[in-house]
Amino acid sequence: MQRVLSGIQPSGSQHIGHLIGALDNFTRLQGQGDAFYMIADWHALTSKYESVGEIGPATEELTATYLAAGLDPSNATIFVQSLVKEHAELHLLFSMITPLSWLERVPTYKEKLQNATADLGSYGFLGYPLLQAADILIYKAHKVPVGEDQLFHLELTREVARRFHFLFGREVFPEPQAVLTPTPKVPGLDGRKMSKSYGNCIYLRDTPEQILHKCTREMASDPARVKRTDPGNPDICPVFEFHKLFSSPETVEMVNTECRRAGIGCFDCKKKVAEAVTARTEPIRQQIEERLAHPAQLREVLHDGSARARAVAGQTMVEVREAMQMPSY
Ligand code: TRP
Ligand code: SF4
């Protein structure tokens, strides 16, 4: 049985980049293996330590989003990182055997350090990928469905596993592999990667009106197409990228031909994108709102899932302590 593990930080609302880049894969993989999906609230602390009050509500929202996107608690273990203290123990043990230089060279580290609004010069932020390695290895995961930006963290995870095996002479952990969706990088409204920090997102909780507004008023199109009679080039237009992700093959084909001969105007083209995005997100949005109206049920999902996760993590830690010759009396 293949073990699957992934997680998302509860540090803000989920957008369609999360849906296409990660959540779709979470859902697909839950039927194929023994799947664990985490709410990484300790990871959220690396940037939210000055606003800890936001993490609880974001945890509930993420749980509702997991369920609305199709995760099923009878098929997948949905849990909260901070309710499984074993992650912290494994992180600490890994911190003893991981060279500092491995963490300092993580590409996302320096980049985020410079762009961040919060002061990220903390010990915990440097150790972020190592905590992630502990999250993954403690469940002996084989597959980790993630976005493209996480590939280096997976590489580091494998290196840490190898170093553990080399030092303690016991193969406790399988080497986990990342699983990407066919289109892991979703463009934002401005054509850059969709990201909260760029303010270019369509959120899963956006209403049809908000989506229509964002698509028709805020979305970039081929800048060379100024007049309605100018032919456009869909290959360089972010709107066309959205069509490819959300519209039917017929619509994609139609836009591809008509744009090039000025047969369709950008406004109509964007309206069509808004409709296609809404068709995908509106059922999810409604489910998220419905789930959020019943917080006791959400907490029960997390309570039960976290108990299951603790049982598995606890078993791995017995092996880890044995390999490291820690006392068991
Ligand atoms: N770093 C991941 C992200 O920002 C979240 C995460 C934490 C994670 N622990 C994980 C992802 C373990 C996969 C596996 O998206
Ligand atoms: Fe882009 Fe559509 Fe306008 Fe063509 S018609 S430039 S694909 S928005």
Side-chain angles (χ1 to χ4, degrees), residues 76 84 91 96 99 116 125 148 160 164 185 188-189 206 217 263 270 308 323:
V84 188
H91 176 216
M96 304 298 168
F125 184 66
E148 234 177 8
V160 171
F164 184 97
K185 207 186 260 164
L189 296 169
D206 281 349
R217 310 262 167 223
K270 290 172 175 178
R308 285 217 296 269

mmCIF file of all heavy atoms in Angstrom, residues 76 84 91 96 99 116 125 148 160 164 185 188-189 206 217 263 270 308 323:
data_model
loop_
_atom_site.group_PDB
_atom_site.id
_atom_site.type_symbol
_atom_site.label_atom_id
_atom_site.label_comp_id
_atom_site.label_asym_id
_atom_site.label_seq_id
_atom_site.Cartn_x
_atom_site.Cartn_y
_atom_site.Cartn_z
ATOM 1 N N ALA A 76 -9.356 9.285 3.684
ATOM 2 C CA ALA A 76 -8.091 9.978 3.921
ATOM 3 C C ALA A 76 -8.070 10.487 5.361
ATOM 4 O O ALA A 76 -9.100 10.843 5.911
ATOM 5 C CB ALA A 76 -7.947 11.148 2.953
ATOM 6 N N VAL A 84 -0.032 16.409 16.663
ATOM 7 C CA VAL A 84 0.820 15.208 16.606
ATOM 8 C C VAL A 84 2.237 15.639 17.001
ATOM 9 O O VAL A 84 3.063 15.974 16.166
ATOM 10 C CB VAL A 84 0.795 14.576 15.191
ATOM 11 C CG1 VAL A 84 1.526 13.234 15.186
ATOM 12 C CG2 VAL A 84 -0.645 14.385 14.706
ATOM 13 N N HIS A 91 11.656 16.371 14.201
ATOM 14 C CA HIS A 91 12.310 17.598 13.717
ATOM 15 C C HIS A 91 13.547 17.905 14.552
ATOM 16 O O HIS A 91 14.622 18.196 14.026
ATOM 17 C CB HIS A 91 11.311 18.755 13.759
ATOM 18 C CG HIS A 91 11.898 20.080 13.374
ATOM 19 N ND1 HIS A 91 11.521 21.257 13.971
ATOM 20 C CD2 HIS A 91 12.840 20.407 12.476
ATOM 21 C CE1 HIS A 91 12.212 22.260 13.437
ATOM 22 N NE2 HIS A 91 13.005 21.772 12.530
ATOM 23 N N MET A 96 19.799 17.717 14.600
ATOM 24 C CA MET A 96 21.134 17.363 15.097
ATOM 25 C C MET A 96 22.028 16.820 13.994
ATOM 26 O O MET A 96 23.244 16.860 14.102
ATOM 27 C CB MET A 96 21.026 16.302 16.212
ATOM 28 C CG MET A 96 20.149 16.702 17.369
ATOM 29 S SD MET A 96 20.797 18.172 18.196
ATOM 30 C CE MET A 96 19.386 18.578 19.231
ATOM 31 N N PRO A 99 23.340 19.402 8.259
ATOM 32 C CA PRO A 99 24.267 20.537 8.160
ATOM 33 C C PRO A 99 23.501 21.831 7.900
ATOM 34 O O PRO A 99 22.562 21.856 7.093
ATOM 35 C CB PRO A 99 25.138 20.190 6.946
ATOM 36 C CG PRO A 99 24.970 18.717 6.741
ATOM 37 C CD PRO A 99 23.602 18.381 7.238
ATOM 38 N N ALA A 116 9.578 39.043 2.306
ATOM 39 C CA ALA A 116 8.550 38.891 3.328
ATOM 40 C C ALA A 116 8.172 40.212 3.988
ATOM 41 O O ALA A 116 8.974 41.140 4.055
ATOM 42 C CB ALA A 116 9.029 37.918 4.387
ATOM 43 N N PHE A 125 12.194 29.618 10.968
ATOM 44 C CA PHE A 125 12.004 29.781 9.526
ATOM 45 C C PHE A 125 13.103 29.084 8.741
ATOM 46 O O PHE A 125 12.851 28.473 7.710
ATOM 47 C CB PHE A 125 11.922 31.258 9.139
ATOM 48 C CG PHE A 125 11.637 31.447 7.686
ATOM 49 C CD1 PHE A 125 10.423 31.048 7.151
ATOM 50 C CD2 PHE A 125 12.594 31.973 6.835
ATOM 51 C CE1 PHE A 125 10.162 31.172 5.788
ATOM 52 C CE2 PHE A 125 12.345 32.107 5.478
ATOM 53 C CZ PHE A 125 11.128 31.706 4.955
ATOM 54 N N GLU A 148 4.869 22.903 -7.649
ATOM 55 C CA GLU A 148 6.238 22.928 -8.166
ATOM 56 C C GLU A 148 7.235 23.574 -7.201
ATOM 57 O O GLU A 148 8.404 23.191 -7.151
ATOM 58 C CB GLU A 148 6.236 23.735 -9.466
ATOM 59 C CG GLU A 148 6.827 23.030 -10.628
ATOM 60 C CD GLU A 148 6.709 23.871 -11.881
ATOM 61 O OE1 GLU A 148 6.299 25.048 -11.809
ATOM 62 O OE2 GLU A 148 7.021 23.338 -12.958
ATOM 63 N N VAL A 160 17.973 14.074 3.861
ATOM 64 C CA VAL A 160 17.941 13.870 5.314
ATOM 65 C C VAL A 160 17.712 12.395 5.630
ATOM 66 O O VAL A 160 18.365 11.826 6.518
ATOM 67 C CB VAL A 160 16.844 14.752 5.960
ATOM 68 C CG1 VAL A 160 16.634 14.397 7.426
ATOM 69 C CG2 VAL A 160 17.190 16.233 5.825
ATOM 70 N N PHE A 164 20.270 9.984 7.697
ATOM 71 C CA PHE A 164 19.828 9.221 8.869
ATOM 72 C C PHE A 164 20.221 7.748 8.710
ATOM 73 O O PHE A 164 20.803 7.147 9.620
ATOM 74 C CB PHE A 164 18.308 9.364 9.028
ATOM 75 C CG PHE A 164 17.755 8.687 10.256
ATOM 76 C CD1 PHE A 164 17.520 9.410 11.423
ATOM 77 C CD2 PHE A 164 17.462 7.319 10.259
ATOM 78 C CE1 PHE A 164 17.008 8.788 12.556
ATOM 79 C CE2 PHE A 164 16.957 6.696 11.393
ATOM 80 C CZ PHE A 164 16.728 7.433 12.545
ATOM 81 N N LYS A 185 1.642 24.955 -12.321
ATOM 82 C CA LYS A 185 1.788 26.406 -12.158
ATOM 83 C C LYS A 185 0.587 27.124 -12.754
ATOM 84 O O LYS A 185 0.390 27.142 -13.971
ATOM 85 C CB LYS A 185 3.071 26.879 -12.848
ATOM 86 C CG LYS A 185 3.636 28.149 -12.223
ATOM 87 C CD LYS A 185 4.822 28.679 -13.009
ATOM 88 C CE LYS A 185 6.151 28.291 -12.372
ATOM 89 N NZ LYS A 185 7.289 28.463 -13.276
ATOM 90 N N GLY A 188 -1.589 33.922 -12.325
ATOM 91 C CA GLY A 188 -2.486 34.845 -11.642
ATOM 92 C C GLY A 188 -3.119 35.795 -12.640
ATOM 93 O O GLY A 188 -2.879 35.705 -13.843
ATOM 94 N N LEU A 189 -3.933 36.721 -12.130
ATOM 95 C CA LEU A 189 -4.645 37.661 -12.995
ATOM 96 C C LEU A 189 -3.679 38.474 -13.855
ATOM 97 O O LEU A 189 -4.000 38.890 -14.959
ATOM 98 C CB LEU A 189 -5.490 38.611 -12.143
ATOM 99 C CG LEU A 189 -6.616 37.948 -11.336
ATOM 100 C CD1 LEU A 189 -7.199 38.929 -10.328
ATOM 101 C CD2 LEU A 189 -7.703 37.417 -12.266
ATOM 102 N N ASP A 206 -14.455 33.223 -3.595
ATOM 103 C CA ASP A 206 -14.959 34.369 -4.358
ATOM 104 C C ASP A 206 -16.336 34.035 -4.932
ATOM 105 O O ASP A 206 -16.560 32.917 -5.421
ATOM 106 C CB ASP A 206 -14.008 34.713 -5.517
ATOM 107 C CG ASP A 206 -12.789 35.509 -5.057
ATOM 108 O OD1 ASP A 206 -12.782 35.979 -3.897
ATOM 109 O OD2 ASP A 206 -11.846 35.656 -5.860
ATOM 110 N N ARG A 217 -12.244 42.876 -15.371
ATOM 111 C CA ARG A 217 -11.621 44.176 -15.073
ATOM 112 C C ARG A 217 -10.150 44.087 -14.695
ATOM 113 O O ARG A 217 -9.421 45.041 -14.818
ATOM 114 C CB ARG A 217 -12.349 44.875 -13.921
ATOM 115 C CG ARG A 217 -13.834 44.965 -14.063
ATOM 116 C CD ARG A 217 -14.286 46.318 -14.602
ATOM 117 N NE ARG A 217 -15.678 46.228 -14.989
ATOM 118 C CZ ARG A 217 -16.159 46.755 -16.106
ATOM 119 N NH1 ARG A 217 -15.372 47.404 -16.919
ATOM 120 N NH2 ARG A 217 -17.436 46.637 -16.399
ATOM 121 N N GLY A 263 -12.060 37.759 -34.343
ATOM 122 C CA GLY A 263 -13.453 37.316 -34.406
ATOM 123 C C GLY A 263 -14.149 37.393 -33.058
ATOM 124 O O GLY A 263 -15.374 37.402 -32.978
ATOM 125 N N LYS A 270 -13.110 37.170 -21.909
ATOM 126 C CA LYS A 270 -12.907 37.158 -20.453
ATOM 127 C C LYS A 270 -14.186 36.752 -19.721
ATOM 128 O O LYS A 270 -14.137 36.091 -18.676
ATOM 129 C CB LYS A 270 -12.462 38.542 -19.984
ATOM 130 C CG LYS A 270 -11.042 38.892 -20.436
ATOM 131 C CD LYS A 270 -10.705 40.337 -20.129
ATOM 132 C CE LYS A 270 -9.253 40.622 -20.473
ATOM 133 N NZ LYS A 270 -8.904 42.030 -20.223
ATOM 134 N N ARG A 308 -5.684 9.192 14.553
ATOM 135 C CA ARG A 308 -5.146 8.180 13.628
ATOM 136 C C ARG A 308 -3.706 8.509 13.253
ATOM 137 O O ARG A 308 -2.838 7.630 13.195
ATOM 138 C CB ARG A 308 -5.992 8.138 12.339
ATOM 139 C CG ARG A 308 -7.330 7.467 12.499
ATOM 140 C CD ARG A 308 -7.706 6.652 11.248
ATOM 141 N NE ARG A 308 -7.884 7.452 10.034
ATOM 142 C CZ ARG A 308 -9.053 7.968 9.654
ATOM 143 N NH1 ARG A 308 -10.125 7.797 10.376
ATOM 144 N NH2 ARG A 308 -9.133 8.650 8.534
ATOM 145 N N ALA A 323 16.795 3.120 16.477
ATOM 146 C CA ALA A 323 17.940 3.307 15.570
ATOM 147 C C ALA A 323 18.969 4.250 16.193
ATOM 148 O O ALA A 323 20.167 4.072 16.028
ATOM 149 C CB ALA A 323 17.458 3.858 14.229
#
